[in-house]
């Protein structure tokens, strides 16, 4: 009786094992054959035993051409180590999974980036192999490479940008400190460049800047770094020199290089530069201060009518910067600041409008100043706190007035890194909101990506505080820094603004177009809305609409405007509180007027 029972159990076990096997085989087939992802199964020796049909369209090879070959046959030489390492890790224990990215050769000779997840199913009788599922991520990889290059270089001249220069300067200071060597920082600003721009147009200005960049590079040694700091400002980092006379000789070489006239668009332009110089360890110990002192010296040179100047303590107190900073303090108190509002237009129609507040300074002597002229100054001098306070206060007051007048407009305000590092900032915002009686969800703050990366701990602290107040948050200038997206997703943001440098270029530049497209996709995958900045043409608007972008901002739809003009825009413009789609879809009702 015992035997028959165990016999019956044995038969039963066999049948159930068979069924399990069949099921798992079916599951496996369903997993591999329906997916557009690649699937290959390799045995313990690394030979391909199975290749899914998708191999054909992803890699251009029939499964039959793949089976029987060694898996690494198509892996890029530079990625072999990584692949072998992943392989070894996975081999160690049954059921374990590893993830790796590598380049794989297409039958046509080109290379694809594949993102692979491999699972050790050697123990699983239905599979008896290592299962590799891989996905083509070439587009993403290209976009990331482009972003990385873009983040550290200036797009116009190809020179390193401020971030990269600062980084190299910090390295140089560390090495200099260790080896007892001096470091020189040179700040160079073209004289009367603005006139070139205004007279001959930006195109000529750009051509000139490119030539200046090329000549600077030729005048210097490979070991020196030339960077474009923005506008017509360049900086040079000198590390390998014997003494001060050698630095002076380099400065002379630069001046000689710029003396020859520049042929630009059929004209011959003469341009000179003002150069400021600061030295480590003589003038300062850290990168930020050195750059600032070189800047002070440069302004000194400019005031003196060109040429070059070595930093002199006396300069700092008389520099333009210092005067402007003192004036800014008063300007905030005396009402010389004003906010313009620029519309952020949704691609879908809506019954409320969104605007971004942008600060301006109506300077009594210098006229209208753009924020780039005084916001950095406010940041350097601690005036950013009263400035932001003023901006928030004024924006909330305006928002309240609009709502009272029946205009449903929400306002976004820009914050600076210092605001996020200010432990009292959240309390300040809370009291301003309470006083204004504006519903907090009508207020949004925009924070640039680089700011978030500068001091992530304090930044995320402040950000959580702002979110708790009920504010909305946007990441500004996305793409200009190289933030980790996984970090960004941990923040309570709901909107990403794609930097205007990419949007402006997307119609003519493939790289920019890839960045814009993949940023929109990434934003959507992360559950965020995407806003494109700097839309200047119908063409770009149409492209963005095609990519599923959520909103757009730019001169094409509306420039930053003072409140009365903005109100008119909201009421009258086809992009305003519209009841119709801009392309002329049917009117829903006319109550906006
Ligand atoms: P942002 O936040 O990226 O603001 C957008 C800038 O792009 C604005 O320059 C706007 O006038 C400009 N812009 C808008 N549409 C277009 C377009 O189609 N083409 C081009 N080429 N430009 C366009 P603006 O007003 O000069 O502001 C410059 C920056 O100053 C802002 O960049 C922002 O970072 C900062 N800023 C402005 N207001 C404030 C403020 O109240 N506080 C702080 N901390 N920063 C501010
Ligand atoms: Ca902004
Ligand atoms: Ca921006």
């Amino acid at each position: 009786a015992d035997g028959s029972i165990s016999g019956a159990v044995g038969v039963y076990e066999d049948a159930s094992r068979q069924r399990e096997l069949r099921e798992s085989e079916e599951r496996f087939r369903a997993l591999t054959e329906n997916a557009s992802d690649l699937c290959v199964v390799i045995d313990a020796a690394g030979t391909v035993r199975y290749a899914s049909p998708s191999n054909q369209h992803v890699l251009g090879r029939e499964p039959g051409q793949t089976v029987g070959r060694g898996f690494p046959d198509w892996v890029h030489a530079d990625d072999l180590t990584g692949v072998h390492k992943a392989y070894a890790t996975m081999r160690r224990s049954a059921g374990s999974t590893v993830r790796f990215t590598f380049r794989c050769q297409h039958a046509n000779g080109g290379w694809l980036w594949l993102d692979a997840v491999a699972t050790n199913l050697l123990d699983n009788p239905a599979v008896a192999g290592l299962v590799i599922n891989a996905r083509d991520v070439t587009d993403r990889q290209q976009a990331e490479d482009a972003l990385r290059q873009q983040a550290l270089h200036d797009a116009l001249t190809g020179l390193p940008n401020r971030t990269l220069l600062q980084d190299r300067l910090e390295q140089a200071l560390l090495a200099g400190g260790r080896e007892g060597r001096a470091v020189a920082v040179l700040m160079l600003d073209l004289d009367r460049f603005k006139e070139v721009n205004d007279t001959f147009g930006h195109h000529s200005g750009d051509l000139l800047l490119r030539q200046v960049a090329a000549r600077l590079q030729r005048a210097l040694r490979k070991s020196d770094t030339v960077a474009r700091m923005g506008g017509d400002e360049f900086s040079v980092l000198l590390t390998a020199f014997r003494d001060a006379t050698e630095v002076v000789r380099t400065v002379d070489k630069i001046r000689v290089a710029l003396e020859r006239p520049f042929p630009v668009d059929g004209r011959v332009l003469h341009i000179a530069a003002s150069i400021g110089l600061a030295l480590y360890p003589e003038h300062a110990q850290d990168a930020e201060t050195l750059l600032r002192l070189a800047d002070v010296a440069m302004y000194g040179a400019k005031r003196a009518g060109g040429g070059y100047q070595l930093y002199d303590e006396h300069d700092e107190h008389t520099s333009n910067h210092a005067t402007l900073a003192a004036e800014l303090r008063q300007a905030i108190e005396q009402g010389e600041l004003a906010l313009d509002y620029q519309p952020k237009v949704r691609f879908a129609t809506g019954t409320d409008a969104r605007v971004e507040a942008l600060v301006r300074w109506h300077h009594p002597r210098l006229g209208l100043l753009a924020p780039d002229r005084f916001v950095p100054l406010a940041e350097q001098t601690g005036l950013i706190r009263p400035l932001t306070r003023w901006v928030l206060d004024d924006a909330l007051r305006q928002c309240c007035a609009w709502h009272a007048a029946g205009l449903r407009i929400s306002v976004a305000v820009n914050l600076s890194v210092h605001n996020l590092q200010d432990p009292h900032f959240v309390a300040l915002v809370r009291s301003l909101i309470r006083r204004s009686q504006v519903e907090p969800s009508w207020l949004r703050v925009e924070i640039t990506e680089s700011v978030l990366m500068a001091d992530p701990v304090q930044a995320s602290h402040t950000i959580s505080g702002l979110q708790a107040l009920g504010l909305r948050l946007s990441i500004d200038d996305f793409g200009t820094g190289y933030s980790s997206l996984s970090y960004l997703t941990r923040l309570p943001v709901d909107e990403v603004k794609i930097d205007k440098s990419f949007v402006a270029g997307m119609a003519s530049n493939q790289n920019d177009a890839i960045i814009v497209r993949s940023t929109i996709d990434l934003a959507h995958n992360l559950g965020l809305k995407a806003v494109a900045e700097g839309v200047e043409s119908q063409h770009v608007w149409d492209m963005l609409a095609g990519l599923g972008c959520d909103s757009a901002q730019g001169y094409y739809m509306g420039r930053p405007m003072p409140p009365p003009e903005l109100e008119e825009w909201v009421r009258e413009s086809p992009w305003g509180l519209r009841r119709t789609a801009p392309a002329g879809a049917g009117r829903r009702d006319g109550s906006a007027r």
Side-chain angles (χ1 to χ4, degrees), residues 12-28:
Y12 174 76
E13 272 183 347
D14 266 4
S16 90
R17 165 96 36 78
Q18 294 256 310
R19 197 183 58 241
E20 256 171 45
L21 255 175
R22 205 174 46 244
E23 277 173 6
S24 90
E25 231 169 307
E26 277 163 8
R27 214 168 30 241
F28 174 68

Side-chain angles (χ1 to χ4, degrees), residues 175-500:
R178 263 195 322 266
E179 294 152 27
R181 276 190 295 138
V183 173
V185 177
L186 228 125
M187 202 62 90
L188 180 153
D189 191 276
L190 302 182
D191 298 336
R192 300 187 309 142
F193 174 74
K194 193 175 167 329
E195 280 173 45
V196 173
N197 246 345
D198 292 349
T199 318
F200 306 117
H202 287 279
H203 179 66
S204 296
D206 286 355
L207 290 178
L208 178 63
L209 289 174
R210 280 207 194 123
Q211 292 191 43
V212 168
R215 286 196 198 173
L216 286 175
Q217 267 177 317
R218 249 177 280 135
L220 296 162
R221 283 173 306 195
K222 277 253 178 322
S223 55
D224 305 329
T225 300
V226 196
R228 178 162 175 233
M229 304 299 271
D232 58 344
E233 202 173 83
F234 296 85
S235 183
V236 179
L237 168 62
L238 303 174
T239 48
F241 54 87
R242 270 187 304 279
D243 52 23
T245 49
E246 208 176 311
V247 176
V248 173
R249 216 175 307 134
T250 308
V251 173
D252 282 336
K253 267 208 298 207
I254 291 176
R255 294 174 60 197
V256 169
L258 300 181
E259 257 168 24
R260 268 184 303 121
F262 292 86
V264 170
D265 274 347
R267 289 189 203 83
V268 172
L269 303 180
H270 290 267
I271 198 131
S274 301
I275 299 174
L277 197 57
L279 300 173
Y280 164 88
E282 206 174 320
H283 297 133
Q285 311 292 316
D286 66 287
E288 200 182 324
T289 314
L290 269 174
L291 283 167
R292 189 170 58 78
L293 299 188
D295 207 42
V296 167
M298 189 271 288
Y299 273 101
K302 207 150 247 199
R303 263 199 319 283
Y308 90 91
Q309 264 185 25
L310 190 63
Y311 171 72
D312 173 353
E313 250 173 78
H314 178 68
D315 280 348
E316 195 160 16
H317 307 294
T318 56
S319 78
N320 286 338
H321 270 79
T323 323
L324 212 56
E327 289 174 340
L328 180 57
R329 190 182 301 275
Q330 288 194 336
I332 300 171
E333 290 158 10
Q334 294 174 354
E336 288 172 20
L337 299 186
L339 294 180
D340 275 356
Y341 294 89
Q342 186 179 32
K344 279 174 156 177
V345 183
R346 288 196 192 84
F347 282 90
T349 56
T351 56
D352 61 328
R354 309 201 305 147
V355 297
E356 173 177 6
L358 295 158
V359 68
R360 275 88 183 91
W361 179 2
H362 296 273
H363 191 284
R365 254 182 318 112
L366 303 170
L368 180 67
L369 298 184
D372 295 340
R373 280 287 294 279
F374 60 91
V375 171
L377 194 68
E379 287 171 341
Q380 284 163 25
T381 52
L383 285 172
I384 192 66
R385 191 158 194 264
L387 180 102
T388 308
R389 182 199 169 95
W390 182 87
V391 169
L392 279 165
D393 195 38
D394 206 57
L396 283 165
R397 207 184 34 71
Q398 185 60 64
C399 187
C400 187
W402 280 331
H403 286 229
L407 289 169
R408 295 162 55 79
I409 301 178
S410 64
V411 179
V413 164
N414 292 283
L415 298 188
S416 132
V417 62
H418 301 266
N419 299 136
L420 296 192
Q421 282 158 356
D422 176 353
H424 307 297
F425 187 68
V426 176
L428 170 71
V429 177
R430 185 188 300 121
S431 76
L432 290 175
I433 288 184
R434 204 165 283 164
R435 214 173 58 197
S436 73
Q437 303 202 316
V438 168
E439 175 62 39
S441 63
W442 290 96
L443 181 64
R444 176 179 287 280
V445 291
E446 297 190 358
I447 304 166
T448 62
E449 191 194 356
S450 49
V451 164
L452 293 172
M453 300 314 287
D455 181 357
V457 177
Q458 179 59 47
S460 63
H461 208 72
T462 305
I463 286 173
S464 315
L466 294 175
Q467 188 214 17
L469 293 180
L471 269 60
R472 305 283 164 84
L473 283 111
S474 306
I475 304 285
D476 207 351
D477 303 339
F478 184 81
T480 56
Y482 189 57
S483 11
S484 108
L485 277 165
S486 56
Y487 170 68
L488 293 183
T489 52
R490 274 184 267 143
L491 298 171
V493 296
D494 64 357
E495 182 179 273
V496 170
K497 299 186 76 180
I498 308 166
D499 192 65
K500 53 180 174 292

